[in-house]
Amino acid sequence: MTSSSSPDGLSHDRLLDRLGEVAVRIGLNVAPGQQVLITAPLDAVPLVRKIAEHAYRAGASLVTPFYTDDAVTLARFHHAPDAAFDVAPNWLHDGMANAYRQGAARMAITGGNPVLLSQENPDHVARANKAASLAGRPAMELITSFAVNWNIVACATPAWAAQVFPDETPERALELLWSAIFQASRVTVDDPVAAWSAHNETLHRRADWLNDRRFAALHFTGPGTDLTVGLADGHAWAGGSEPARNGIVCNPNIPTEEVFTTPHARRVEGFVRATKPLFHQGTLIDGIAVRFEGGRITEAHATQGQAVLERILATDDGARRLGEVALVPHSSPISQSGVLFRNTLFDENASSHIALGQAYTKCMVETEGQTAEQLEARGANTSFIHIDWMIGSAEIDVTAITQDGAREPLMKHGEWINRV
């Protein structure tokens, strides 16, 4: 990427530095003496260095990066023996989980090729993903329970840019993707930190209102969709910055436009059609349409990627149930940009969405000391996966259902009713 000036008058290097600062100060809120563990694609080295610099300025004691390489990943699928796809680096995932238990912050940089594995053997892809999910479970449980402060931020890469802007030259595509990332991440404004503080206040106000109302369920209606999502007993809405269990307030996702909570895994009924394609670990799944009965997906179809979708749903018992429901206005900046990022971090913030798999028990009240069985009885789902997919649009309405069965409009044509 060149160092030429952006339309905002700031050089790419300055905007990258701002993104690194926001990732550390707003995303992680690194504490003095805290270690930081970073996972990133090789193309993200310049951003990793910016994040490391700001982390050390914030008082971090050690920043440790781990890199992935698309070429090495493809080499496995092209040349490894069949048995290799049931293997995962347990030692690495165990080490990461141990680091989080000892207080390390987790930073993940996304930016890989969204269709890297789309031409590979779907059985090998599914088995490799399942092995990785099993190995990563100890670390993932610490993340989903907000045991530590964590953050995901994005880095534009040539392979990703080519998918988002296929009609542009490689250099121009990369410039356009970086510009979209910087805009969505709120680093092009005069004071990014202040902008994030104001945005967090808006998300907190919505979450607080929903928590005060304590609805029993949400009803999504629109083309191809008539879905009732029951909410977990003692659910809690969250959005924007949140305190982790280590006491540090962090913004898990940059960017973010959602308020979200934990659905009841056994109280989801009806049918729903995805409004955007799902790009999952290098494969494309498009035209998703499913039916829920008793909280479980009983029918699932996709116009593209059917085999991959079926293998995802076969991951474990919880893979056919929901672990998250989130509300996002159609007028969100990411939606209005008109860019299909082909990356869940961004696309989920353009649309209301649901997630298959593991629930965030952080989005439940009075969980201290409760067993997994007790949380399950309250509706929290358990799974090796957590996969968001988009169901909102300008054609989708959302109605809240109160504890006594009354109905209250929440969103009309994808927009919040004025009171929230």
Side-chain angles (χ1 to χ4, degrees), residues 40-348:
L42 276 179
D43 289 299
V45 168
L47 178 57
V48 170
R49 290 171 178 168
K50 294 290 188 183
I51 290 172
E53 181 179 335
H54 284 286
Y56 282 125
R57 286 178 175 176
S61 60
L62 183 65
V63 178
T64 304
F66 293 87
Y67 294 99
T68 57
D69 181 4
D70 285 354
V72 171
T73 299
L74 285 176
R76 180 190 192 191
F77 285 89
H78 294 170
H79 306 295
D82 181 75
F85 299 100
D86 298 312
V87 175
N90 296 69
W91 56 272
L92 177 61
H93 292 289
D94 289 346
M96 289 180 175
N98 191 44
Y100 302 147
R101 293 189 192 101
Q102 295 181 21
R106 180 249 194 172
M107 167 65 69
I109 300 177
T110 183
N113 183 348
V115 293
L116 180 69
L117 304 179
S118 60
Q119 302 303 312
E120 305 307 321
N121 184 326
D123 178 64
H124 288 170
V125 172
R127 286 163 54 197
N129 288 344
K130 183 174 183 178
S133 295
L134 287 168
R137 182 65 179 274
M140 181 56 68
E141 288 179 338
L142 293 167
I143 297 303
T144 58
S145 67
F146 278 70
V148 297
N149 46 322
W150 59 277
N151 173 249
I152 303 175
V153 71
C155 171
T157 63
W160 180 19
Q163 291 295 320
V164 179
F165 300 104
D167 297 328
E168 302 289 346
T169 65
E171 183 178 23
R172 179 60 176 159
L174 193 60
E175 290 176 353
L176 288 171
L177 183 54
W178 267 123
S179 178
I181 290 171
F182 291 145
Q183 291 282 348
S185 302
R186 289 180 163 80
V187 300
T188 60
V189 299
D190 290 339
D191 188 340
V193 173
W196 270 101
S197 295
H199 183 50
N200 278 326
E201 288 181 7
T202 298
L203 296 176
H204 292 163
R205 184 176 67 251
R206 288 175 180 162
D208 289 345
W209 185 86
L210 289 164
N211 283 328
D212 287 342
R213 298 293 292 136
R214 196 62 59 190
F215 294 115
L218 302 178
H219 186 202
F220 294 82
T221 55
T225 294
D226 187 345
L227 183 72
T228 300
V229 178
L231 303 180
D233 299 335
H235 67 276
W237 287 90
S241 59
E242 293 290 332
R245 286 196 284 120
N246 60 5
I248 299 174
V249 176
C250 64
N251 265 83
N253 290 352
I254 290 180
T256 184
E257 303 290 337
E258 66 178 337
V259 289
F260 60 97
T261 194
T262 300
H264 198 296
R266 295 178 300 284
R267 298 177 187 165
V268 183
E269 302 286 344
F271 54 89
V272 62
R273 187 176 72 190
T275 52
K276 293 181 182 291
L278 170 63
F279 298 88
H280 175 65
Q281 296 185 336
T283 59
L284 166 64
I285 310 173
D286 200 6
I288 300 173
V290 305
R291 177 176 292 277
F292 286 87
E293 296 178 5
R296 186 175 185 274
I297 292 177
T298 56
E299 298 178 33
H301 306 281
T303 57
Q304 184 173 347
Q306 176 75 26
V308 177
L309 176 61
E310 290 175 353
R311 285 176 170 83
I312 288 173
L313 297 177
T315 301
D316 54 32
D317 290 340
R320 288 180 176 267
R321 300 182 185 273
L322 296 186
E324 178 188 346
V325 60
L327 299 176
V328 179
H330 180 66
S331 59
S332 79
I334 296 173
S335 176
Q336 294 306 300
S337 74
V339 176
L340 177 61
F341 283 88
R342 299 172 176 254
N343 181 291
T344 300
L345 175 63
F346 291 84
D347 292 335
E348 73 169 3

